Structures are given as C-alpha cells and as structure tokens.
C-alpha cells in the first residue's frame, strides 16, 4: 500500500475510525509512533502522519510532513465504454486505473441493457483503493452519456475498438478517446458513425468480452 485515502488529509490531525480503523490497526497491525502516508486525491500532495494514540474504536494521528508528488500516466486517455453488467465493470476498473486511464464515460449503446445502472459510489471506493495500491495521485473521472451519437457530438475525434485491419498499436499516438462496445458489440448503425480509418483492432480473430477488450485497448494505447 503506497498510501491511504482520507478526505481530511492535509489537516493537522486525523481521527481514524470505522472501516479504515479496522484496516489500519486490525489488518495492517500498525502501532503507536509508526508513520502512515495519506492522500485526499483533491490536491496532488501526499501527507505523512504519525500515530499518536490508539483506543478500541478510534486513533488520532498528527501531520508531520507534506509533499507535492504527482504520479500519472504520460498520456491522457478517455474511454467511452458502452454499458455492461456493473459487476464486470467493478472487476475491470481497478486495472484501468492502474494502467492510467484518465476518464471513462459510460454510454447506453444499442445492445446495452437498460436495467444496468452504474454505482458511482462503489466505483469510487474501488478507485481509491486502486490508487492507494499503485501510487497514482488521482483516480479515473466518471461520466455518463445517453447515446453513442451524443458522445460523438461531444468527442468528435473518437476512435472505435472493433474488428479492423487497422492495428491499434499503429494508431496509438493519434488516439486520445476510444469507444469500447458492450456484450454483443456494436450495431451496424453505430459502426457507420465512425470513419473506417478510425476503427481499430488487434491482430486476432478471437471475440473479446467487453471487460477484456477495454483492458486490451487501454494497455495498447498507454503502455
């Protein structure tokens, strides 16, 4: 763990209780006078605190140092991800955060099931934990869009990840926004929304699940 998230990081003292108390003192088994790093993920600082006291339900920590420390991917990438089962999103999003994806916009596409709703609060918690593990000084920004047409009107330079003779690795320097399909892929009408030169794929005829495709595409562009 590189740091822990606490929205009050930066204050002269922190009171730790609840779930975070259990993690720090019952799972990680920290003790009085040890130091722990925190971020609030609103600024770019990392804060070092010393554990002053621990009782049965809470602990008090005091700030001993702070430092601006920016750890981000070298390139910015925005994913337009057609909505799939939230459980699959929850499994994949920590990996996307570690790879360095800047933003994900969830899009209701032709084959997305309307019953699926993305739980942003749960995703945020997963992202906080992910950044704490990998050291990233931010988390993925989350947005929503009602249709692919609307998304493209806002992001006209978007690419599509689909079956294509255009290899994504050959175009990665040009791609800052890419759309990933849901289970079932894209409809014929959605494919026609993209210029053929902006449809990219990988050198494989195997059909990828949406959560696999999004990780493959992000890795090919950012790593």
């Amino acid at each position: 763990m590189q740091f822990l998230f606490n929205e009050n990081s930066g204050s002269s003292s922190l009171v730790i209780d609840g779930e975070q108390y259990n993690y720090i003192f019952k799972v990680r088994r920290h003790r009085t006078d040890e130091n722990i790093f925190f971020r609030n993920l609103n600024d770019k600082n990392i804060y070092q605190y010393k554990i002053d006291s621990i009782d049965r339900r809470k602990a008090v920590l005091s700030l001993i140092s702070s430092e601006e420390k920016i750890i981000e991917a070298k390139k910015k990438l925005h994913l337009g991800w057609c909505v799939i089962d939230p459980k699959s999103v929850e499994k994949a999003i920590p990996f996307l955060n570690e790879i360095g994806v800047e933003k994900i916009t969830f899009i209701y596409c032709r084959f997305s099931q309307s019953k699926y709703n993305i739980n942003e609060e749960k995703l945020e918690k997963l992202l906080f934990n992910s950044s704490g593990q990998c050291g990233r000084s931010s988390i993925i920004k989350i947005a929503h869009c009602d249709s692919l047409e609307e998304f493209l009107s806002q992001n006209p330079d978007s690419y599509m990840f689909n079956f294509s003779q255009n290899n994504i690795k050959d175009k990665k320097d040009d791609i800052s926004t890419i759309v990933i399909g849901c289970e079932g892929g894209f409809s014929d009408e959605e494919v026609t929304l993209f210029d053929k030169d902006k449809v990219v794929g990988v050198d494989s005829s195997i059909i990828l699940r949406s959560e696999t495709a999004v990780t493959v595409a992000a890795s090919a562009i950012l790593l």
Side-chain angles (χ1 to χ4, degrees):
M1 181 67 70
Q2 302 301 306
F3 63 85
L4 294 170
F5 166 76
N6 190 298
E7 62 184 4
N8 296 315
S9 299
S11 60
S12 59
S13 65
L14 289 179
V15 176
I16 304 297
D17 55 14
E19 185 178 340
Q20 192 164 70
Y21 172 92
N22 290 334
Y23 177 73
I24 294 173
F25 301 107
K26 294 185 179 180
V27 177
R28 303 285 295 187
R29 297 186 179 278
H30 284 285
R31 294 291 181 260
T32 304
D33 292 330
E34 292 181 352
N35 295 339
I36 307 176
F37 289 96
F38 287 85
R39 285 187 187 267
N40 56 42
L41 295 176
N42 288 318
D43 59 35
K44 299 300 182 182
N45 295 338
I46 189 164
Y47 300 94
Q48 186 175 192
Y49 283 83
K50 180 172 73 71
I51 303 169
D52 290 332
S53 63
I54 308 170
D55 63 28
R56 294 180 62 185
R57 295 188 177 182
K58 70 178 187 300
V60 178
L61 286 64
S62 60
L63 179 65
I64 60 173
S65 69
S66 65
E67 175 190 1
E68 184 178 69
K69 190 172 185 180
I70 301 172
I71 301 176
E72 298 289 351
K74 295 180 179 179
K75 177 184 171 78
K76 294 184 183 298
L77 178 62
H78 179 190
L79 296 176
W81 193 357
C82 297
V83 172
I84 61 171
D85 188 335
K87 292 180 181 178
S88 297
V89 173
E90 290 160 11
K91 290 178 182 177
I93 204 165
F95 303 121
L96 299 174
N97 191 63
E98 291 169 26
I99 291 168
V101 172
E102 181 189 33
K103 181 178 180 180
I104 297 175
T105 298
F106 292 103
I107 310 167
Y108 282 96
C109 296
R110 172 67 177 82
F111 296 132
S112 294
Q113 295 191 38
S114 59
K115 68 178 182 178
Y116 289 148
N117 292 305
I118 303 298
N119 185 334
E120 282 195 43
E121 185 177 347
K122 189 170 185 179
L123 292 187
E124 191 174 67
K125 184 175 180 181
L126 292 168
L127 291 169
F128 288 149
N129 290 335
S130 169
S131 287
Q133 290 283 352
C134 70
R136 177 175 171 171
S137 54
S138 67
I139 60 173
I140 292 174
K141 301 179 184 70
I142 302 295
H144 300 269
C145 204
D146 290 334
S147 70
L148 185 54
E149 289 85 352
E150 179 184 341
F151 181 82
L152 292 176
S153 71
Q154 298 169 1
N155 303 275
D157 295 326
S158 299
Y159 282 70
M160 169 185 276
F161 188 66
N162 202 9
F163 288 107
S164 174
Q165 294 300 312
N166 301 318
N167 195 295
I168 190 171
K169 292 183 179 179
D170 297 332
K171 298 272 191 174
K172 69 176 187 177
D173 291 339
D174 301 323
I175 301 173
S176 59
T177 304
I178 190 165
V179 179
I180 312 297
C182 55
E183 301 300 343
F186 297 100
S187 69
D188 292 340
E189 293 80 6
E190 288 170 336
V191 173
T192 62
L193 296 174
F194 293 81
D195 185 278
K196 289 183 179 180
D197 289 337
K198 288 191 172 182
V199 179
V200 295
V202 292
D203 187 16
S204 174
S205 58
I206 297 173
I207 298 173
L208 304 178
R209 292 178 300 170
S210 181
E211 61 267 36
T212 305
V214 75
T215 306
V216 168
S219 300
I221 296 167
L222 292 173
L223 301 181

